[in-house]
Amino acid sequence: MSVSAGMSPAKGPVIAVVGPSGVGKDSVMSGLAVADPRLRSMRRVITRAPDAGGEDYQPVSEPEFEALVLADVFALHWRAHGLRYGIPRDIEKLRIGASGVLVNLSRAVLLQAQEVFDDFRVISVTADPEVLAQRLAGRGREDAEEVQRRLARASLALPDGLRQVYEVDNSGALCAAIVQAQAIIQAERA
């Protein structure tokens, strides 16, 4: 991509990948990033232990997180499942020249994100309840009570007022969900 003098390179959209715990958001995001090297991924800052496993994230303590909030490091931050999550303002640098920046967001922060980012899209990843239950039990991060809480939240709707929402079913083979999400991103780019 060439850029004329005085023009800055285009910024890709922020693409929120959302869905219930265990639906495979991180797997879909990883597959999309492999399929399109111009798609970038934003690491979240989370008050989760460094050895908790799962997604690639920057672990911090509660006091460290609060210091980052006070230093205005985050474009977005929120609480969910007893943890604090943050998206650093560095996301804007990742958008430059990218076909998009993938970020795992909670449903509760989507309307705020839509206001913060000038080009914002949502890919809602879904899966059958039985599939979610198997995945949550299989990953071993939550006890049985927490698994049930997360399954109960799985059917919650996205907030009203979102302008660009696309659904991807990840009940079956992961590659099918990745192809479906990739087609959505490419269609929006065209």
Side-chain angles (χ1 to χ4, degrees):
M1 169 170 65
S2 65
V3 177
S4 300
M7 291 181 60
S8 56
K11 286 181 5 178
V14 172
I15 304 167
V17 180
V18 301
S21 298
V23 80
K25 296 178 294 284
D26 296 313
S27 297
V28 169
M29 289 171 61
S30 294
L32 286 169
V34 168
D36 179 356
R38 290 188 52 230
L39 266 177
R40 299 180 182 147
S41 297
M42 184 74 211
R43 282 178 62 200
R44 300 189 295 180
V45 176
I46 307 175
T47 57
R48 181 187 291 156
D51 57 353
E55 69 181 280
D56 179 24
Y57 63 97
Q58 180 183 339
V60 296
S61 67
E62 278 283 342
E64 289 169 325
F65 194 95
E66 191 56 36
L68 293 170
V69 168
L70 293 173
D72 201 28
V73 167
F74 298 123
L76 291 169
H77 62 92
W78 68 96
R79 289 183 187 273
H81 307 296
L83 301 171
R84 293 181 78 181
Y85 297 81
I87 303 301
R89 292 187 185 283
D90 290 352
I91 192 169
E92 291 301 329
K93 292 177 188 169
L94 285 178
R95 293 179 67 190
I96 298 169
S99 57
V101 177
L102 302 167
V103 61
N104 180 339
L105 294 181
S106 296
R107 288 174 276 215
V109 77
L110 291 176
L111 289 173
Q112 182 184 354
Q114 184 172 258
E115 296 308 312
V116 169
F117 303 113
D118 57 339
D119 189 354
F120 180 71
R121 300 155 193 192
V122 177
I123 293 180
S124 176
V125 183
T126 63
D128 295 332
E130 306 80 42
V131 171
L132 286 178
Q134 290 172 351
R135 289 180 184 162
L136 285 170
R139 73 184 189 178
R141 284 199 321 230
E142 300 89 2
D143 61 24
E145 188 177 314
E146 181 62 20
V147 166
Q148 289 309 309
R149 267 197 300 276
R150 289 178 184 244
L151 287 172
R153 289 183 42 83
S155 62
L156 292 176
L158 295 177
D160 289 334
L162 292 170
R163 292 185 284 270
Q164 294 187 66
V165 179
Y166 309 91
E167 191 168 302
V168 170
D169 181 19
N170 191 24
S171 298
L174 175 62
C175 61
I178 292 167
V179 167
Q180 187 182 1
Q182 189 176 22
I184 290 166
I185 293 169
Q186 289 173 346
E188 279 301 306
R189 222 182 307 171

